[in-house]
Amino acid sequence: MNIKDIVNRDIVNLTNCESEPIHIPGTIQPHGFLIGIKKQDYLIDYCSANSTDFIGLKPEQLLGQHFTDIFQDVQIAQLSAHITDSYIDSPKPFVTTRNGIPFNTTAHLSGETFLLELEPFPNGALDLPNLYDQTRRFVSAMEKNNTLVELCQEIAHETREITGYDRVMIYRFDKQYNGEVIAESKRADLESFAGQKYPHTDIPAQARELYIRNPLRMIADINYTPVPLLTTDSNEEKSNQSLDLSLSILRSVSPIHIEYLQNMGVGATLTVSLLQDNKLWGLIACHHYSPKILPHYQRLAALLQGNFLTSQIKVREVAEEFKISEQVDKALFDSLSLLHEDENFVENHYNSASLLQLANASGVVIYQEGKLYTNGLVPAQETLLPFLGQLRYLYKNGSGHTEQLLSIYPEGRELTKFAAGIIYHAMSASSSDCILWMRQERIETVHWAGNPEKAIDMNAGGFRLSPRKSFELWKEVVKDKSAEWRKSELNAASSFAYALQKYLNLRQVRLEEERYRIINEELKAANKELANINWISTHDLKEPLRKIQIFASKVLDREDPELSLKVKDSVERMRYAAEKMQLLIEDILNYSKTGSVPKVFESTDLNEVFQSVISDLKDTIEEKKAEILHDILPEIPAIRFQIQQLFVNLISNSLKFAQDGVSPVISITYEIVGPKMLPGNSSLKNVDYHKISFTDNGIGFDQEYRERIFQVFQRLHPHHKYPGTGIGLAICKKIVENHNGILIANAKENEGAVFTIFLPVQLTAAK
């Protein structure tokens, strides 16, 4: 028979200690023996080399045999029902008997192999412990102890009473998995470890993972000799990798951990995992200073103590957090009440005590509109202002917090006296306005159980990792850090910052509303004056102008020989000036009306509008011998009289600016275009548009004037040759804008011009 061991012989060194495969050592502790049977046929595939010590059979007598040939009293069906994937231990163990000797048998499935770990009952007892008394004592401890630490101390005493270990400690891990002894029960002559911390490197990540998977772990004798596991398979691929011992009770321990415990002077250990939310919260660690095998039921009693404590951890932590959150919530309520009651909260209440208490801060700063409002202990203004600017850059999402400012702002060492920890909330994305809570530096002396740095030894083989050899008290002074911000404090600060932001925004809105109200009143007064001017223009100015024109005409019509040519010329100029002024008044009134009349849209057939305009301009068209071509035009929602004015102005413009000796040709074309065809500056690009173009062969203009021609009183040509007021195209643009449209012009000198109108197809676009 070909027998080989599956011992993991990898050397643990500096490069692999953090990934040491402690779950597949290929060895076990010697206070029991192990048998691995194939799941499909119950043939023994693995056994430990110490089987002879317990049942008198050598490994070669076990390997390859059917399990029931060795243990005749065991029922296979009973064993199969007992084994489950997640099984580790049970209040009532599976008992395997050989030659009348009962063995406590822990069973679980590892891959395709059933692992049976058999331990003799050291005192021969098969009875369960008094669970009633144990539970009763825990309930009593739970009732009389108010804090979690007090309860942990009670659990430590009770666990030591149950197990008989020389020392029982309860560790609590921090966020970095550094452990702190928060409770201890010990032999009177032993030095206390209470309050000491142990670095996270003492329990590496893979060990913590096993503590989560297997909550109970015992080392009966620190100085044990590992027992190899044997198999008959000659296949080289069958190695320690084939047998995962993560859930094993007898699994051998890392040599690094053994050396660590030897350096502490420990002889035996028992650990119970304390879990919260599937994470390792802490450990119950039991130390004995000589070898100690704890019977199965006492182990279960210790595990039950861990379960008791685990059930209370979150309850006690929440209760302790609740007490603080009550105080925080009251301060938050007081601050919010002041905020809602006073329009000028920042100016009048920035120094209120509740503003500090809602985050249990030592200082708070509000920066608003270039002014600093400080409360409590804060840095000087000359260092604070640049610091606030840096925080805006560091917290681009608008908020953040830290207990160690130097970790995000190394230049801020001089600030840590006031702001070792901060909570920051921006009030505005467009300015530096913000609120900042600060906590002073808390200088803390941490008591480590020995220097937390692992030692590196040099020997003949080179560098090797060595566990710490000294566990004497080693003090470390921690500076530049504040107390940790609690969740309730962070939530309260966030709630107040949000409320303050809303308050400041509402106040700004109210100020803007007041400013616009004043402007609106001024505009109303101005509009009233303009209305008066319109009335004067319509009635008081037009009537004198009409009389001037009449009297001038009468003077000229008389042809009085006594009037000199010079007088007649002056009268003619006066009459012409009056006509021009009257025309200007009419155009100004028309321009004013395009922006002031109600925008009442009605379905308008542009073909009818076109025909009406042609009829009005019939005499001019015939006089100019003009030719007007047009497409079939659409029916659109429009302000009818304004659209008619638009057509009149554009066609009249083309007739007016015809080339000398060339008959005007005006072409009106129509099509529907998509939003991509609109000019680049348009913001109305979400619907289709009517495109109506007026093209002529007139004198045109230089393209540099394509925007200027739409401005009021802008003229490109001499008045004596092309009469007008310079308002007509401005009126056209205003009318198109009233219809949420766009009017553009393109031209070449002496070749003609094109005026293009874009009007949205959808009525909703013309609200």
Side-chain angles (χ1 to χ4, degrees), residues 318-351:
V318 169
E320 291 173 10
E321 179 74 24
F322 180 71
K323 289 182 179 179
I324 294 175
S325 67
E326 275 189 317
Q327 300 169 357
V328 166
D329 287 346
K330 182 181 183 305
L332 175 62
F333 176 80
D334 292 343
S335 296
L336 291 176
S337 297
L338 290 173
L339 181 65
H340 294 143
E341 291 168 3
D342 193 337
E343 178 77 14
N344 299 312
F345 170 86
V346 175
E347 295 83 352
N348 297 337
H349 302 290
Y350 67 89
N351 57 354

Side-chain angles (χ1 to χ4, degrees), residues 38-53:
K38 294 180 181 178
K39 182 179 178 181
Q40 66 272 25
D41 55 17
Y42 283 80
L43 294 180
I44 298 176
D45 199 27
Y46 297 91
C47 77
S48 57
N50 63 345
S51 59
T52 308
D53 299 339

Side-chain angles (χ1 to χ4, degrees), residues 575-595:
R575 185 184 65 79
Y576 178 75
E579 288 180 354
K580 182 180 177 183
M581 184 177 290
Q582 190 170 28
L583 179 61
L584 181 59
I585 290 171
E586 292 290 346
D587 282 349
I588 289 174
L589 289 174
N590 287 334
Y591 183 76
S592 174
K593 288 178 181 178
T594 58

Side-chain angles (χ1 to χ4, degrees), residues 606-749:
L606 297 186
N607 296 291
E608 294 179 359
V609 172
F610 172 75
Q611 294 299 334
S612 176
V613 170
I614 294 301
S615 177
D616 291 343
L617 299 176
K618 180 179 179 182
D619 293 341
T620 306
I621 293 171
E622 291 178 352
E623 179 187 343
K624 294 276 188 177
K625 299 181 180 179
E627 182 180 7
I628 300 180
L629 308 173
H630 69 95
D631 292 344
I632 301 299
L633 300 176
E635 186 172 325
I636 65 170
I639 306 170
R640 186 181 183 90
F641 79 91
Q642 288 191 359
I643 290 294
Q644 179 140 345
Q645 181 71 49
L646 173 66
F647 275 46
V648 167
N649 286 8
L650 290 177
I651 295 174
S652 296
N653 210 57
S654 294
L655 294 171
K656 180 194 299 184
F657 294 103
Q659 296 191 54
D660 292 337
V662 178
S663 297
V665 178
I666 304 171
S667 177
I668 303 173
T669 60
Y670 165 75
E671 63 178 320
I672 291 181
V673 298
K676 292 183 179 179
M677 298 296 293
L678 265 66
N681 293 333
S682 172
S683 60
L684 303 172
K685 294 187 177 180
N686 56 339
V687 295
D688 289 337
Y689 284 79
H690 299 293
K691 177 184 177 184
I692 305 171
S693 298
F694 291 75
T695 306
D696 64 49
N697 61 343
I699 62 174
F701 54 84
D702 194 306
Q703 273 292 95
E704 68 174 290
Y705 301 115
R706 62 194 302 263
E707 298 293 338
R708 177 181 165 186
I709 62 174
F710 293 114
Q711 298 175 12
V712 178
F713 303 129
Q714 294 298 318
R715 299 179 53 82
L716 304 184
H717 306 288
H719 182 273
H720 67 276
K721 186 173 182 181
Y722 299 101
T725 60
I727 298 178
L729 288 178
I731 292 174
C732 291
K733 189 171 183 64
K734 188 68 176 176
I735 290 172
V736 173
E737 288 174 350
N738 285 345
H739 290 76
N740 284 352
I742 303 164
L743 174 61
I744 62 172
N746 291 285
K748 286 186 179 180
E749 285 190 289

Side-chain angles (χ1 to χ4, degrees), residues 230-371:
L230 307 176
T231 184
T232 60
D233 196 340
S234 60
N235 188 344
E236 291 300 323
E237 293 182 0
K238 191 173 181 181
S239 65
N240 62 298
Q241 299 284 345
S242 306
L243 204 60
D244 187 341
L245 298 180
S246 296
L247 304 181
S248 170
I249 297 297
L250 296 174
R251 175 175 55 82
S252 195
V253 185
S254 163
I256 294 292
H257 185 55
I258 290 295
E259 189 174 349
Y260 176 91
L261 293 172
Q262 289 172 340
N263 292 344
M264 290 186 74
V266 175
T269 66
L270 177 77
T271 55
V272 176
S273 304
L274 301 174
L275 306 179
Q276 284 294 298
D277 300 324
N278 296 319
K279 294 181 180 179
L280 193 62
W281 181 91
L283 295 172
I284 299 178
C286 307
H287 286 182
H288 209 64
Y289 292 89
S290 61
K292 181 179 179 63
I293 299 177
L294 193 69
H296 173 78
Y297 285 120
Q298 285 181 278
R299 279 184 244 162
L300 291 181
L303 181 60
L304 184 59
Q305 290 295 110
N307 292 338
F308 283 155
L309 181 54
T310 296
S311 70
Q312 287 297 302
I313 288 173
K314 180 164 284 189
V315 174
R316 297 301 172 107
E317 287 183 335
V318 169
E320 291 173 10
E321 179 74 24
F322 180 71
K323 289 182 179 179
I324 294 175
S325 67
E326 275 189 317
Q327 300 169 357
V328 166
D329 287 346
K330 182 181 183 305
L332 175 62
F333 176 80
D334 292 343
S335 296
L336 291 176
S337 297
L338 290 173
L339 181 65
H340 294 143
E341 291 168 3
D342 193 337
E343 178 77 14
N344 299 312
F345 170 86
V346 175
E347 295 83 352
N348 297 337
H349 302 290
Y350 67 89
N351 57 354
S352 69
S354 62
L355 202 54
L356 290 169
Q357 293 164 0
L358 69 86
N360 288 318
S362 55
V364 64
V365 172
I366 299 176
Y367 183 68
Q368 186 202 3
E369 296 179 351
K371 293 183 180 180

Side-chain angles (χ1 to χ4, degrees), residues 394-442:
L394 291 169
Y395 293 114
K396 291 185 174 64
N397 64 346
S399 64
H401 73 278
T402 181
E403 289 85 28
Q404 190 170 17
L405 178 64
L406 295 184
S407 65
I408 63 167
Y409 187 54
E411 313 88 67
R413 182 166 295 279
E414 63 183 82
L415 295 167
T416 57
K417 179 181 177 182
F418 303 96
I422 61 167
I423 303 175
Y424 170 82
H425 286 279
M427 294 291 103
S428 169
S430 59
S431 71
S432 297
D433 291 358
C434 65
I435 183 168
L436 178 70
W437 285 271
M438 293 171 282
R439 271 186 181 165
Q440 292 180 286
E441 174 187 38
R442 184 181 70 175

